[in-house]
Amino acid sequence: MPRSHPSASELINAIRDFLVETVTPQVDEHTAFHIKVACHILGILEREAEGQQGLERVEAEALSALLCEKI
Protein backbone atom coordinates (compact mmCIF):
# COMPACT_ATOMS: atom_id res chain seq x y z
CA MET A 1 0.00 0.00 0.00
CA PRO A 2 1.60 3.30 -1.05
CA ARG A 3 2.17 5.91 1.61
CA SER A 4 1.06 9.49 1.07
CA HIS A 5 3.57 10.93 3.54
CA PRO A 6 7.26 10.46 4.33
CA SER A 7 8.33 8.02 7.02
CA ALA A 8 9.74 9.19 10.35
CA SER A 9 13.20 8.17 9.14
CA GLU A 10 12.84 10.24 5.97
CA LEU A 11 11.72 13.29 7.95
CA ILE A 12 14.59 12.94 10.42
CA ASN A 13 17.08 12.65 7.56
CA ALA A 14 15.66 15.78 5.92
CA ILE A 15 16.04 17.73 9.17
CA ARG A 16 19.58 16.42 9.68
CA ASP A 17 20.58 17.30 6.11
CA PHE A 18 19.15 20.82 6.47
CA LEU A 19 21.01 21.41 9.73
CA VAL A 20 24.33 20.08 8.44
CA GLU A 21 24.28 21.45 4.89
CA THR A 22 22.42 24.76 5.27
CA VAL A 23 22.59 25.94 8.86
CA THR A 24 26.01 24.79 10.08
CA PRO A 25 28.05 26.76 7.50
CA GLN A 26 26.27 29.97 8.57
CA VAL A 27 26.78 29.80 12.35
CA ASP A 28 29.60 30.18 14.85
CA GLU A 29 31.56 27.20 16.22
CA HIS A 30 29.60 27.04 19.47
CA THR A 31 26.27 26.82 17.64
CA ALA A 32 27.75 24.34 15.14
CA PHE A 33 28.67 22.11 18.08
CA HIS A 34 25.07 22.23 19.32
CA ILE A 35 23.87 21.34 15.84
CA LYS A 36 26.19 18.33 15.87
CA VAL A 37 24.72 17.24 19.22
CA ALA A 38 21.19 17.73 17.84
CA CYS A 39 22.09 15.55 14.83
CA HIS A 40 23.23 12.78 17.16
CA ILE A 41 19.93 13.05 19.03
CA LEU A 42 18.08 12.81 15.72
CA GLY A 43 20.01 9.59 15.04
CA ILE A 44 18.82 8.18 18.36
CA LEU A 45 15.23 9.14 17.56
CA GLU A 46 15.54 7.56 14.11
CA ARG A 47 16.76 4.26 15.57
CA GLU A 48 13.97 4.30 18.15
CA ALA A 49 11.35 4.98 15.46
CA GLU A 50 12.67 2.13 13.34
CA GLY A 51 12.63 -0.18 16.37
CA GLN A 52 9.08 0.85 17.23
CA GLN A 53 7.94 0.14 13.67
CA GLY A 54 9.54 -3.29 13.90
CA LEU A 55 7.77 -3.99 17.19
CA GLU A 56 4.44 -2.87 15.74
CA ARG A 57 4.97 -5.17 12.75
CA VAL A 58 5.75 -8.15 15.01
CA GLU A 59 2.70 -7.39 17.17
CA ALA A 60 0.44 -7.13 14.10
CA GLU A 61 1.74 -10.45 12.77
CA ALA A 62 1.16 -12.12 16.14
CA LEU A 63 -2.38 -10.77 16.35
CA SER A 64 -3.06 -11.84 12.80
CA ALA A 65 -1.84 -15.34 13.59
CA LEU A 66 -4.09 -15.49 16.64
CA LEU A 67 -7.11 -14.35 14.66
CA CYS A 68 -6.45 -16.85 11.88
CA GLU A 69 -6.18 -19.70 14.37
CA LYS A 70 -9.54 -18.87 15.95
CA ILE A 71 -11.42 -18.68 12.65
Side-chain angles (χ1 to χ4, degrees):
M1 173 180 227
R3 290 186 322 214
S4 62
H5 56 84
S7 69
S9 181
E10 291 168 332
L11 292 170
I12 290 170
N13 281 321
I15 293 168
R16 184 184 302 120
D17 290 347
F18 171 74
L19 289 172
V20 171
E21 296 171 11
T22 304
V23 179
T24 299
Q26 300 179 31
V27 299
D28 60 83
E29 288 181 22
H30 180 75
T31 304
F33 170 77
H34 286 284
I35 290 172
K36 188 173 184 177
V37 171
C39 287
H40 285 287
I41 293 168
L42 288 171
I44 292 167
L45 292 173
E46 182 177 24
R47 289 187 295 278
E48 286 184 4
E50 289 171 355
Q52 183 64 33
Q53 290 172 354
L55 291 174
E56 289 171 358
R57 188 172 25 259
V58 168
E59 182 179 9
E61 290 170 359
L63 289 172
S64 177
L66 283 173
L67 292 173
C68 289
E69 288 179 10
K70 292 188 178 194
I71 291 177

